[in-house]
Amino acid sequence: MTQAPAAPKAARRQHDREIIALAVPAFGALVAEPLFVMADSAIVGHLGTAQLAGLGVASALLTTAVSVFVFLAYATTAAVARRVGAGDLQSAIRQGVDGIWLALLLGAAVIAVVLPTAPALVELFGASDTAAPYAITYLRISSLGIPAMLVVLASTGVLRGLQDTKTPLYVAIGGFVANGVLNVALVYGAGWGIAGSAWGTVIAQCAMAAVYLFVVVRGARRHGASLRPDAAGIRACAQAGAPLLVRTLSLRAILMIATAVAARLGDADVAAHQIILSLWSLLAFALDAIAIAGQAIIGRYLGANDAQGARDVCRRMVQWGIASGVVLGGLVVLARPLFIPLFTSDSVVQDAALPALVVVAISQPICGIVYVLDGVLMGAGDGPYLAWAMLATLAVFAPVALLVPTFGGGLTAVWAAMTLMMTVRMVTLWLRTRSGHWIVTGATR
């Protein structure tokens, strides 16, 4: 009788080890990415206010352009993990190679658009006359690194699908260090100013892409996978990524609406909103690390035709998501008096942010469930459902958020609307996972 629970406990311990082994390095790599922009800002900031303002506009444009194509990592992770679970490493790596070729094609297309339209884009984002020349310079030079950035996304997906999140962590750390050294050397040593910062970042990004390509090419040769572009394979990668692109665009629309509504409330509210949004993004990195582990593990189980294993690990990851959300929410409440003064000494901004942060803290367990289930369905290749679910969430959120200035409640009401948005996402994702329709086993969906 006492031996009966041993198997479930052993299975939970195994799931926990897998989740930790993948999630911890993934979190490190996720946090390293925004440090690129922070390092550039710290270095360029000493050149002058106009240069820093120009960097801010150009960075926002570049971040938007690259984040739109994050599906290169998500879709590739799921597809590669399935084939790993099926024991077909050759096909897994071939799938990853197709994703990398798609990244190169998309990167070339983005450069073709950005180079001639850089002045118009900078003007659209409202850069001042003094900041605009610096923004245009930085944007044009940095756009040359976009193909490398997209290759990094696709290659990261390949390695995650192969159950390797440590290599992306090492590459991210190396890229961050190289970026910092090159920026200092080119901005100040060579006297290139903001152009030196852009070139330093481009070189670091190309070096990261080269390391990833070396790793992928080595794996392809070891397992006999072709490196040539395959039109059918590239088209299949694009088709798998299209629903995730819709999902990403819908999510970015939600964030833009929230910021626009906060801006209508006044300068103090939008300033407080930006502070909270930065914290919310940091919390998202922690929860997204578990989601990345979910993508890789779920894809592998389904590829191995282990539907029950996929269900069990999904259940365990939800428990991880809830627990992580509770811990993060508690930390937000405790750190509120210390966190906000780091960004502003304005008592009006602090008064606007404090109650809204309580709402953010309360929502963290919900966010934990959302991120985990999002990762599970991505790992299962259930992109079309994710796209429709996010469109439905946008349809609920938009009218509620836009009514905040009319009915009052200030910034706290804006973040209450954000919590409603996460709750709607949780319900749609929970209904899907409960239905079992996402469970499609085999090397391909």
Side-chain angles (χ1 to χ4, degrees), residues 207-400:
M208 292 171 65
V211 173
Y212 274 119
L213 289 175
F214 172 79
V215 173
V216 173
V217 168
R218 184 179 60 184
R221 288 176 175 170
R222 182 185 302 134
H223 297 287
S226 173
L227 294 170
R228 295 179 179 177
D230 176 65
I234 294 171
R235 187 164 53 250
C237 288
Q239 289 172 346
L244 296 181
L245 175 61
V246 173
R247 169 199 168 275
T248 300
L249 291 174
S250 300
L251 180 56
R252 291 205 67 84
I254 287 170
L255 297 177
M256 290 174 65
I257 290 170
T259 300
V261 171
R264 289 175 62 188
L265 299 176
D267 289 346
D269 286 288
V270 74
H273 176 74
Q274 288 304 116
I275 294 171
I276 296 171
L277 192 61
S278 66
L279 176 62
W280 196 70
S281 299
L282 179 62
L283 298 172
F285 283 134
L287 298 173
D288 201 29
I290 304 174
I292 287 170
Q295 293 171 31
I297 296 171
I298 290 293
R300 194 188 75 230
Y301 272 100
L302 294 177
N305 294 309
D306 187 353
Q308 187 57 49
R311 290 190 185 92
D312 291 342
V313 77
C314 172
R315 188 178 304 111
R316 188 57 176 166
M317 280 188 292
V318 168
Q319 294 169 355
W320 269 80
I322 295 172
S324 300
V326 170
V327 171
L328 291 174
L331 290 174
V332 169
V333 171
L334 293 174
R336 276 189 313 152
L338 302 174
F339 175 77
I340 297 177
L342 293 176
F343 291 86
T344 180
S345 58
D346 188 328
S347 61
V348 178
V349 176
Q350 291 181 1
D351 290 343
L354 281 170
L357 272 178
V358 174
V359 177
V360 171
I362 293 171
S363 72
Q364 287 310 295
I366 296 172
C367 294
I369 297 173
V370 168
Y371 278 94
V372 165
L373 294 183
D374 209 38
V376 166
L377 296 184
M378 283 186 189
D382 204 12
Y385 182 84
L386 290 172
W388 284 111
M390 189 60 79
L391 286 171
T393 302
L394 173 60
V396 172
F397 170 79
V400 173

Side-chain angles (χ1 to χ4, degrees), residues 33 61-77 95-114 142-160 201-202 204-210 212-213 216 237 245 248:
E33 292 174 10
L61 285 163
L62 289 165
T63 301
T64 300
V66 173
S67 64
V68 163
F69 299 112
V70 73
F71 69 84
L72 288 166
Y74 294 157
T76 304
T77 297
Q95 180 76 25
V97 170
D98 291 335
I100 291 172
W101 278 112
L102 176 61
L104 287 170
L105 292 173
L106 291 173
V110 173
I111 290 178
V113 171
V114 171
S142 293
S143 68
L144 301 177
I146 287 179
M149 296 169 74
L150 299 188
V151 166
V152 167
L153 283 177
S155 301
T156 300
V158 176
L159 296 181
R160 287 174 182 170
T201 301
V202 168
Q205 290 163 347
C206 290
M208 292 171 65
Y212 274 119
L213 289 175
V216 173
C237 288
L245 175 61
T248 300

Side-chain angles (χ1 to χ4, degrees), residues 106-147:
L106 291 173
V110 173
I111 290 178
V113 171
V114 171
L115 284 179
T117 62
L121 291 171
V122 168
E123 183 180 358
L124 181 65
F125 265 59
S128 66
D129 292 339
T130 54
Y134 298 110
I136 293 168
T137 297
Y138 191 92
L139 180 59
R140 279 180 165 158
I141 296 171
S142 293
S143 68
L144 301 177
I146 287 179

